Amino acid sequence: MATSNVRFVNNIRIKGVACSVPEQVEEVASLCGTFDAESVNKIIGSTGVERRHVVSDETSSDLCFSAAERLIQDLKIDRSTIDTLIFVSQTHDYTLPATACVLQERLGLSMQTAAFDIGMGCSGYVYGLWTASSFLSGGGSKRVLLLVGDTISKIVSPTDRSVAALFGDAGTATLIDYEEGAPVIPFVMGTDGRGAHNLIVPAGAYRDRNGSTSVTTEEGVRGPFDLYMNGAEIFAFTLARVPALVSALQEANSESGKEIDKYVFHQANRFMLDHLVKRMKLPREKVVLDVKDVGNTSCASIPLAICLNQGRTGGLISGRFLLAGFGVGYSWAGCIAEFDNVWISPLTITSSLKPEATALCN
């Protein structure tokens, strides 16, 4: 992959990041009642996941709302200055309206705020950053609130060994401003829809609303409305695409003369990240791995890993961070972001909430 595939965005500054996880915690060891103890121990050993925060009646927007409120309060942001709200998720509140519209009202943002959803998974955080940065750099926005979160636990069959112990839930908020002269951010994006069937919930949307498909159904394991993951194919895709993605970004970064301080990949699982580190010969101490207590949180995993790497207590961070997301789609996206005294809010634990569907009927 040559640097000609790199997209450069100017005059963008990340101001702060906040993350929220649900209060309920599920131990992977508790799955010994579903699978045998040997299998569960192998799952823990390979994935590195020991527990996950999972929702009860909360949604992705509830978690993102909590994160956004914390970030706005910590940075003392005037809500009227937020002109764009982007919500990235695969687990939206409704088929329609866009969840971003609901969040605009709930957060008390101006009615002049542009608000829209992006339906992306593992690469979703970087796609969101790229979209926000493009608007800002092009002059269409001055301040973007990027909300990224998923509640994949809601679409996982508890009897599916390949995913039951892997996914946790989280919501995140990132504030991004236009700032003249801020360091250039290189982005690399890619898509290969030939792999779409390898990580999919086949039923429930408009291709198959009634669940008549049996392609991924396995009796006693999962049904058509459950997440299906072909782990071997996802692993092969990752090893084929991610090293080239990182190489392109490293080549673009070499012109800056600056070192990369942290590599923050989508937190798929420990087995996959360990293989990537070895394949690319990256310095292990610079690679963030934090799945033990939260699992794979889909599109929220990169900002959540940044927050957890800060020790859950918050504070200012600086450094040159290579961020890379990859997975469902197939889709991949990476960037190198300059973190210059970026505020990281303490991790927020969101209590169980009553669904607010009735709010739309008032």
Side-chain angles (χ1 to χ4, degrees), residues 76-362:
K76 297 178 172 60
I77 296 299
D78 179 350
R79 295 170 195 258
S80 68
T81 64
I82 298 171
D83 57 34
T84 306
L85 170 64
I86 302 173
F87 177 69
V88 181
S89 182
Q90 298 172 113
T91 50
H92 306 270
D93 284 9
Y94 309 100
T95 301
L96 57 88
T99 304
C101 296
V102 178
L103 283 164
Q104 172 272 330
E105 188 276 335
R106 192 174 175 189
L107 287 165
L109 304 186
S110 164
M111 284 191 285
Q112 279 67 55
T113 301
F116 60 93
D117 292 357
I118 297 176
M120 296 294 288
C122 312
S123 63
Y125 184 67
V126 180
Y127 260 90
L129 283 178
W130 174 65
T131 303
S133 298
S134 298
F135 285 150
L136 290 162
S137 183
S141 299
K142 291 297 183 183
R143 170 166 283 172
V144 177
L145 180 61
L146 173 65
L147 305 182
V148 181
D150 261 328
T151 51
I152 300 297
S153 71
K154 291 191 174 190
I155 54 174
V156 166
S157 167
T159 55
D160 188 343
R161 192 187 307 266
S162 64
V163 293
L166 186 58
F167 290 97
D169 304 323
T172 72
T174 304
L175 191 74
I176 312 158
D177 281 356
Y178 176 86
E179 184 179 306
E180 191 75 32
V184 174
I185 301 179
F187 285 88
V188 174
M189 330 291 288
T191 310
D192 182 0
R194 293 175 298 178
H197 61 282
N198 287 320
L199 189 52
I200 190 172
V201 178
Y206 295 101
R207 180 66 63 184
D208 180 11
R209 286 187 64 77
N210 299 318
S212 59
T213 182
S214 60
V215 175
T216 65
T217 299
E218 187 175 343
E219 187 175 355
V221 176
R222 79 183 75 82
F225 298 97
D226 296 321
L227 178 69
Y228 165 75
M229 181 176 73
N230 185 327
E233 290 296 328
I234 297 298
F235 181 72
F237 148 74
T238 300
L239 292 187
R241 292 294 181 183
V242 176
L245 163 67
V246 172
S247 178
L249 289 171
Q250 288 174 325
E251 186 178 344
N253 183 67
S254 65
E255 298 178 8
S256 72
K258 298 179 181 179
E259 287 191 12
I260 295 171
D261 298 297
K262 291 285 185 182
Y263 294 83
V264 189
F265 296 108
H266 163 54
Q267 303 289 290
N269 59 69
R270 184 171 64 193
F271 179 78
M272 187 173 289
L273 292 184
D274 283 346
H275 273 267
L276 286 175
V277 169
K278 292 177 183 177
R279 174 71 65 90
M280 295 181 286
K281 299 180 180 178
L282 299 177
R284 188 66 187 83
E285 69 278 5
K286 289 188 176 184
V287 179
V288 175
L289 173 61
D290 215 322
V291 298
K292 178 182 175 182
D293 296 323
V294 294
N296 178 336
T297 55
S298 185
C299 61
S301 76
I302 291 175
L304 181 58
I306 293 171
C307 289
L308 294 176
N309 192 60
Q310 185 66 7
R312 299 191 179 211
T313 57
L316 295 170
I317 65 170
S318 294
R320 202 161 176 80
F321 284 40
L322 189 153
L323 313 178
F326 46 87
V328 59
Y330 294 142
S331 174
W332 58 96
C335 70
I336 298 176
E338 191 79 42
F339 280 58
D340 183 9
N341 287 321
V342 174
W343 171 255
I344 306 298
S345 293
L347 183 68
T348 298
I349 306 297
T350 300
S351 299
S352 178
L353 303 170
K354 294 289 185 182
E356 295 191 345
T358 54
L360 296 181
C361 304
N362 292 339

